[in-house]
């Protein structure tokens, strides 16, 4: 079984002996109940990973000996999913599963037909929940790089991301081209747009097409907005050789 992963500042990872305390240390010591001699990995969330062994443990922290360090470069191509805001807590579910699949960036999108809208007074709190979900899922998935969860984007901002991408795709159940037939680029950024429960409006589709996006479909069934992103990510990860 692979060792558990915890987050730490890059400065700590440069040391040969690290005291992991705070929330990460408490979780390691009291929830995971790690003890002397067990393996642990620390990461700064930006690709630096330190392989460690527990030298000592108490109720709130671990003392770790660093055995080795390595820096994992950013993966290519970079996969970005623009996720329309789902209902309820399905947004966090989408973030969790896409993080586990290896998505590099998730962009929350306030689409015209979203049932959920992040009002100004709750936007920061909602975005914080998405970022916390990504953080915890990245540790669960043993990732050395945390995915970025961008600020809430409108349709114009999404179109700008599409225009700058090496490849941009809009998932749509009426598209003729299946995603599995696509030959994605080996480098650059792939942007995938996942629409809301009510579907992507004609105006949004036109804006995205004008920016250079292609419509594509996953298969014969219609997925929920909270699961379509991870399904698309799985297809693209396999097609690009990242899986």
């Amino acid at each position: 079984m692979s060792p558990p992963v915890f987050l730490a500042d890059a400065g700590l990872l440069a040391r040969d002996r690290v005291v992991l305390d705070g929330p990460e240390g408490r979780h390691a010591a009291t929830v995971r109940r790690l003890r002397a001699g067990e393996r642990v990995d620390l990461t700064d969330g930006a690709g630096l990973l330190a392989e460690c062994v527990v030298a000592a443990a108490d109720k709130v922290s671990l003392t770790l000996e660093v055995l080795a360090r390595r820096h994992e470069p950013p993966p290519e191509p970079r996969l970005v999913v623009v996720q329309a805001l789902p209902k309820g807590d399905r947004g966090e579910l989408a973030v969790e599963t896409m993080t586990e699949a290896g998505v590099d960036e998730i962009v929350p999108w306030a689409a015209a037909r979203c049932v959920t809208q992040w009002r100004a007074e709750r936007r920061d709190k909602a975005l914080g929940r998405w970022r916390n979900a990504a953080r915890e899922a990245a540790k669960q998935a043993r990732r050395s790089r945390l995915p970025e969860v961008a600020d809430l984007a409108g349709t114009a901002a999404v179109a700008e991301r599409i225009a700058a991408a090496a490849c941009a795709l809009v998932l749509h159940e009426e598209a003729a081209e299946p995603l599995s037939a696509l030959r994605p680029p080996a480098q650059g950024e792939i942007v995938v747009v996942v629409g809301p429960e009510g579907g992507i409006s004609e105006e949004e589709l036109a804006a995205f097409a004008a920016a250079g996006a292609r419509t594509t479909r996953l298969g014969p069934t219609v997925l929920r907005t909270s699961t379509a992103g991870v399904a698309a990510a799985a297809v693209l990860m396999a097609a690009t050789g990242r899986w």
Side-chain angles (χ1 to χ4, degrees):
M1 182 176 178
S2 58
V5 172
F6 297 94
L7 292 169
D9 290 338
L12 284 178
L13 271 60
R15 302 175 183 175
D16 293 331
R17 192 176 183 89
V18 176
V19 175
L20 183 67
D21 53 13
E24 293 288 276
R26 286 193 296 274
H27 182 78
T30 63
V31 179
R32 297 300 300 264
R33 298 180 182 274
L34 295 171
R35 295 296 179 260
E38 294 189 84
R39 277 272 290 107
V40 171
D41 284 346
L42 297 181
T43 180
D44 64 350
L48 177 61
L49 187 137
E51 300 175 1
C52 307
V53 64
V54 180
D58 57 30
K59 293 182 179 180
V60 294
S61 67
L62 300 180
T63 300
L64 307 172
E65 298 286 350
V66 176
L67 305 175
R69 298 178 188 84
R70 67 177 187 271
H71 190 274
E72 298 181 357
E76 285 282 355
R78 189 171 188 268
L79 180 57
V80 178
V81 176
V82 176
Q83 174 67 60
L85 303 180
K87 294 184 291 186
D89 60 358
R90 291 187 180 275
E92 288 96 306
L93 172 63
V95 171
E96 287 174 2
T97 55
M98 287 190 287
T99 297
E100 291 168 6
V103 169
D104 301 295
E105 183 179 354
I106 301 163
V107 181
W109 171 37
R113 295 176 179 169
C114 283
V115 175
T116 295
Q117 294 291 338
W118 288 356
R119 307 299 179 189
E121 64 273 12
R122 63 186 293 261
R123 183 177 301 171
D124 289 347
K125 186 175 182 180
L127 187 59
R129 288 198 299 269
W130 280 37
R131 287 172 173 165
N132 185 65
R135 172 190 173 100
E136 296 307 312
K139 292 193 295 182
Q140 172 66 32
R142 312 299 199 262
R143 289 183 59 165
S144 64
R145 288 183 174 272
L146 298 185
E148 180 182 350
V149 178
D151 291 335
L152 181 67
T155 298
V158 173
E160 290 177 2
R161 292 295 298 264
I162 287 171
C167 174
L169 307 165
V170 178
L171 301 183
H172 198 279
E173 67 272 16
E174 295 180 0
E177 183 182 25
L179 182 59
S180 58
L182 176 75
R183 292 187 177 181
Q187 294 181 322
E189 190 168 273
I190 300 174
V191 173
V192 179
V193 179
V194 180
E197 288 91 344
I200 302 174
S201 72
E202 292 300 323
E203 294 78 11
E204 290 165 337
L205 284 173
F208 297 158
R214 300 156 57 183
T215 57
T216 185
R217 58 181 169 82
L218 281 169
T221 59
V222 178
L223 279 67
R224 289 183 182 272
T225 184
S226 54
T227 55
V230 69
V235 174
L236 290 169
M237 289 290 180
T240 58
R242 286 184 54 177
W243 275 15

